[in-house]
Amino acid sequence: MALDFEKMNGLLPAIIQDARTKNVLMLGFMNKEAYEKTLELNKVTFYSRTRNRLWTKGEESGNFLNVVSIAEDCDHDTLLIKAIPEGPVCHTGSATCFCDSNEMGIEFLSYLQDFICKRHEEMPEKSYTTSLFNSGVNRMAQKVGEEAVETVIEATNGTDDRLIYEASDLIYHLIVLLTSKGHRIEELAAELQKRHKG
């Protein structure tokens, strides 16, 4: 990266975003040394303008921000850092410095698929997901069918709790099947978005 630290007297604003929820967690500033320390530790490190020193977020509280990715903007003078927080981000105890909650909603499906993709790459022994991949596409497709039938049964003759449970199984097995075929759940969202007329 060819970052421009000169525009703001050696500092760059760094927007911190939760890599899983996509929520903005906080804004801080980095000088060149803070940026390099962030790369070295893989934990977000800022330059404190009040203390005139580097500080790694979480060095006192233990609520570190573990770096997932770093991107620069088109002018090379702002950073977007995607991170996974360990605990609350704000010094007030709030999940974000903007007093928002940072709960994962529908974004969890993308996170789950990332996890399933990692299982597909690594194929750890004694993993249920690995056993599904090893069983082949026909068996995975059959499992999707079985879970769909169980979902229908719970919807027509079961309880709401069991309906949610079986529908969750259906989505999980569908993501496994999509992964095995080289596709992602986001492709389904894109297809539905194309069909949606508003």
Side-chain angles (χ1 to χ4, degrees), residues 113 116-118 120 133 174-184:
Q113 178 139 29
I116 290 170
C117 285
K118 190 169 184 196
H120 193 228
F133 287 127
L174 178 60
I175 293 174
V176 170
L177 179 62
L178 287 169
T179 301
S180 76
K181 299 294 286 181
H183 295 287
R184 290 192 57 91

Side-chain angles (χ1 to χ4, degrees), residues 92-160:
T92 65
S94 179
T96 79
C97 288
F98 302 98
C99 300
D100 294 328
S101 70
N102 192 30
E103 298 299 315
M104 201 177 298
I106 195 73
E107 305 88 1
F108 180 75
L109 294 180
S110 291
Y111 177 76
L112 177 61
Q113 178 139 29
D114 290 342
F115 178 83
I116 290 170
C117 285
K118 190 169 184 196
R119 281 283 194 263
H120 193 228
E121 290 167 12
E122 297 174 354
M123 299 292 276
E125 292 181 23
K126 298 181 181 175
S127 158
Y128 175 67
T129 307
T130 297
S131 72
L132 287 171
F133 287 127
N134 284 333
S135 70
V137 172
N138 289 347
R139 178 62 183 137
M140 284 183 273
Q142 182 182 0
K143 280 297 291 179
V144 171
E146 290 170 8
E147 298 301 342
V149 169
E150 290 174 11
T151 300
V152 169
I153 291 169
E154 291 302 331
T156 56
N157 295 309
T159 66
D160 287 345

Side-chain angles (χ1 to χ4, degrees), residues 183-198:
H183 295 287
R184 290 192 57 91
I185 194 78
E186 293 89 348
E187 293 175 60
L188 305 189
E191 177 62 26
L192 290 169
Q193 190 173 1
K194 276 196 299 189
R195 298 180 195 182
H196 184 65
K197 304 296 183 208

